[in-house]
Amino acid sequence: MSLILGIETSCDETAAAVVKDGSDVLGACVASQIARHAEHGGVVPELAAREHLKAARPVLDGALRQAGVTLKDIDAIAVTQGPGLIPALLVGLNLAKGLAVGNGLPLIGINHFIAHIYASFLDGGKEELDKPETYPILALVVSGGHTALLLIDQTGKARLAGTTIDDAAGEALDKASKMLGLGYPGGPVIQKTAESGDPSKYHFPRPLTGSAGKAVSPEHKYNFSFSGVKTALLYHAQKLGGKDCILEGQELYDTVASYQEAIVDVLCRKTALAAKDFKAKTVVLCGGVACNSVLRERMAECLAEPAQLRLAERKYCTDNAAMVGGLAHYYYEKRKFTQLDADSYARLPGIAEVPFVKF
Ligand code: KG4
Ligand code: ZN
């Protein structure tokens, strides 16, 4: 049994959640700072940290209230330790340390990347992790900071099968949106705009997929690259809309739909290829970009037997604390706690095993 308070402040969402036994989300609260960063066209780390300071208390109180518990009922404090924006992470980490010390509770530092994968197993999906037929799992983590394929076997061993060699998919959507004057964040507005467009109207490149007759080197077989698509969009938008890329009406809708199509196509093709080659039984789609409806539908269509698609619920795709409190259950069970002098980290460390598989 465990009742864990999870805290997440790695980017521009301040979140807290109370999770029972790594599965039942009893209370969850998220405060988004999107409006504050939108005027800057992207997340400003120092601003994010200051906003986390303001939002932390109400979010924490909200999650506890929703769960109908107090800090006295909590067994451990879990917090995102990295990767993420250091000033933002430090607010959550210090808050968690204070709560741990003040309430005599253990501290559990959580890897944000693995938490995104675990998000797909919240609210009743946890039993799947105990079944051998679930493995190997291939997870596509697709967010503003990451685009990576992680392969997990039933002993809990994990290896990075592929990653982006330049921009993350979410970053490519956010930068495109900024370029076309559609605002921040790009993902949701691009999805909305694309609904009115024809995805086959323009052709954008699909780097590292072997399309356009370019062979893919073995080292990049499962890797991604999105900077070329973004550059192609810039040339296209300048050709049609002048140096400030002013596109309007159907031209804008078709451009956005075709651009989104290129990104979705690459994500699906690479994932389907890796799923086939590694004989994945489960394919997990998670991270903020996994909210995208076209990606969700297309991924379901392009995977072949025996791979079963496991989609994280939309509310658990973007940054949240339920995935932090849920994953922490496995550290709690093994009494793997984090020291009070722990630091945050900005980049993804090498992942050799995941804690949520019993090994
Ligand atoms: O996981 P997340 O909340 O934060 C990171 O860890 O990065 O992901 C944020 C990313 C942003 O790039 C945002 O544009 C994208 O997720 N996103 C979407 C959608 N909703 C959010 N991308 C495509 N379609 C969406 N509906
Ligand atoms: Zn994230």
Side-chain angles (χ1 to χ4, degrees):
M1 264 285 291
S2 72
L3 195 63
I4 299 183
L5 174 66
I7 296 169
E8 153 65 39
T9 65
S10 69
C11 192
D12 58 352
E13 256 103 30
T14 318
V18 177
V19 187
K20 193 175 150 218
D21 297 332
S23 179
D24 303 338
V25 184
L26 304 185
C29 228
V30 184
S32 172
Q33 311 173 358
I34 282 173
R36 288 291 278 129
H37 297 284
E39 59 195 90
H40 302 280
V43 181
V44 182
E46 187 190 319
L47 186 59
R50 290 172 191 270
E51 292 296 312
H52 286 315
L53 280 175
K54 278 191 247 167
R57 187 64 203 265
V59 159
L60 206 66
D61 288 346
L64 289 167
R65 201 178 323 113
Q66 224 183 68
V69 300
T70 70
L71 281 168
K72 288 196 176 50
D73 304 306
I74 298 292
D75 296 314
I77 308 290
V79 63
T80 304
Q81 203 177 338
L85 305 171
I86 293 293
L89 287 163
L90 286 175
V91 176
L93 186 58
N94 280 323
L95 170 67
K97 286 181 183 183
L99 287 170
V101 172
N103 295 280
L105 295 172
L107 176 74
I108 302 173
I110 290 293
N111 178 313
H112 184 77
F113 181 87
I114 301 180
H116 266 305
I117 300 173
Y118 190 71
S120 317
F121 298 96
L122 286 168
D123 276 346
K126 184 174 162 255
E127 299 84 64
E128 297 303 312
L129 294 169
D130 296 330
K131 299 180 187 160
E133 59 269 28
T134 300
Y135 301 90
I137 296 174
L138 179 73
L140 174 66
V141 184
V142 68
S143 67
H146 305 283
T147 298
L149 284 164
L150 192 76
L151 194 67
I152 304 160
D153 74 18
Q154 63 173 311
T155 68
K157 297 252 174 308
R159 78 179 177 86
L160 212 54
T163 185
T164 176
I165 59 170
D166 41 55
D167 291 350
E171 202 179 343
L173 293 169
D174 293 339
K175 286 179 177 168
S177 178
K178 193 173 177 181
M179 192 192 294
L180 299 171
L182 298 174
Y184 173 84
V189 67
I190 284 200
Q191 179 181 317
K192 186 92 197 66
T193 310
E195 279 166 16
S196 311
D198 172 4
S200 61
K201 175 81 189 198
Y202 305 111
H203 183 80
F204 288 103
R206 273 81 162 149
L208 305 185
T209 59
S211 61
K214 279 191 201 147
V216 185
S217 67
E219 66 167 321
H220 290 316
K221 194 170 178 194
Y222 310 113
N223 280 344
F224 302 89
S225 166
F226 292 107
S227 72
V229 199
K230 191 187 61 194
T231 309
L233 174 68
L234 177 66
Y235 291 149
H236 165 89
Q238 285 182 335
K239 196 169 123 202
L240 295 184
K243 75 172 178 23
D244 292 330
C245 306
I246 314 280
L247 300 189
E248 278 169 345
Q250 204 54 46
E251 215 164 58
L252 173 70
Y253 307 150
D254 291 342
T255 296
V256 170
S258 304
Y259 183 76
Q260 175 181 267
E261 177 67 20
I263 291 177
V264 167
D265 190 29
V266 171
L267 292 172
C268 290
R269 277 210 234 176
K270 289 275 179 174
T271 307
L273 177 68
K276 181 167 139 282
D277 289 357
F278 298 114
K279 301 183 171 50
K281 297 277 179 50
T282 307
V283 171
V284 165
L285 178 58
C286 59
V289 180
C291 284
N292 188 278
S293 304
V294 180
L295 177 60
R296 291 169 87 88
E297 276 166 33
R298 194 71 59 76
M299 193 64 85
E301 284 162 18
C302 77
L303 292 178
E305 288 279 322
Q308 293 287 321
L309 180 60
R310 200 166 179 92
L311 287 167
E313 256 189 77
R314 278 193 173 82
K315 65 180 171 188
Y316 299 140
C317 283
T318 45
D319 289 346
N320 65 89
M323 64 187 192
V324 176
L327 176 58
H329 169 76
Y330 294 83
Y331 292 86
Y332 184 78
E333 272 192 326
K334 295 189 184 119
R335 300 291 184 264
K336 276 181 128 184
F337 300 134
T338 304
Q339 298 299 311
L340 284 173
D341 61 356
D343 200 354
S344 50
Y345 48 90
R347 304 207 168 279
L348 187 66
I351 295 172
E353 55 192 38
V354 297
F356 58 74
V357 178
K358 294 193 178 80
F359 55 89

